[in-house]
Amino acid sequence: KEMLGVSDYDSIIIAKNTGRILVTAEVIVSGICHISEINVPTEGIANFLAKETKDIDELLMYVRKMVEYKCTIPFTINTINRILEFYEKASQEKKKTIIEQWSEILQLPMEDEQYKSVMISCVQDCFANLNSEEDRITPIGKSLLYFWLKYTRQKIVVNISENGEFITQIVKEE
């Protein structure tokens, strides 16, 4: 009771009584909703926005705001997949704009050590769950890897072994 406010209880009751999905950013509220006696379906804000937003500029604006407000889950693999959908259909000029906006969003937490840990987890999870190798080599996929390396202060080092094979390592920056 001490962790939830009246509005949280109200939203759960309304969702249950009307058969609606509860959109929430609160892990505790989501957990309570999944208790068998309550059984209210929930959706995270990032996933909801990815599903409902019909315009890439609007979606990126929402993601940017969620990063600026330091949301725990500012984007998910569903958000990334939706950005990729918009990106694939865009003109060359629009693709450039999408990449610029996306990179600006990922750059935002660079000065905030605490929030960087949230972004490390978020970016790592999204990159690991990209659907295909093709998605990983898009500018969107590459930017996830690039910023994960920057957030974690690591870099990719490529060396050649004695027998001529490439050796790729991720190492801490000095």
Side-chain angles (χ1 to χ4, degrees), residues 132-149:
S132 66
E133 187 62 34
E134 290 86 38
D135 289 346
R136 287 186 195 93
I137 62 172
T138 64
I140 303 297
K142 287 179 183 178
S143 65
L144 290 171
L145 176 59
Y146 174 78
F147 279 97
W148 179 81
L149 289 167

Side-chain angles (χ1 to χ4, degrees), residues 18-116:
T18 60
R20 304 285 173 129
I21 295 173
L22 180 62
V23 178
T24 181
E26 299 292 331
V27 175
I28 294 170
V29 173
S30 184
I32 289 171
C33 287
H34 289 101
I35 294 172
S36 60
E37 294 82 24
I38 297 175
N39 196 27
V40 171
T42 62
E43 182 77 73
I45 291 173
N47 285 338
F48 174 78
L49 292 171
K51 283 181 191 173
E52 297 300 321
T53 305
K54 306 296 184 224
D55 175 76
I56 185 61
D57 293 318
E58 186 178 15
L59 178 58
L60 291 172
M61 185 257 320
Y62 287 135
V63 173
R64 180 184 194 93
K65 289 292 182 194
M66 290 177 69
V67 171
E68 287 173 349
Y69 293 130
K70 297 178 175 47
C71 291
T72 309
I73 305 172
F75 54 88
T76 65
I77 188 60
N78 295 327
T79 313
I80 301 302
N81 288 335
R82 189 76 168 121
I83 293 169
L84 284 167
E85 283 177 32
F86 284 121
Y87 182 81
E88 289 168 8
K89 295 175 185 174
S91 68
Q92 286 302 98
E93 190 167 320
K94 186 63 179 176
K95 284 181 179 181
K96 184 179 179 213
T97 303
I98 292 169
I99 294 304
E100 288 170 356
Q101 289 176 303
W102 180 237
S103 294
E104 287 172 12
I105 290 166
L106 293 176
Q107 182 69 35
L108 289 172
M110 290 306 293
E111 303 303 315
D112 187 332
E113 290 301 317
Q114 275 189 303
Y115 193 60
K116 248 197 275 187

Side-chain angles (χ1 to χ4, degrees), residues 147-158:
F147 279 97
W148 179 81
L149 289 167
K150 286 188 74 77
Y151 297 152
T152 59
R153 293 188 179 96
Q154 298 184 83
K155 62 184 177 179
I156 297 175
V157 176
V158 179

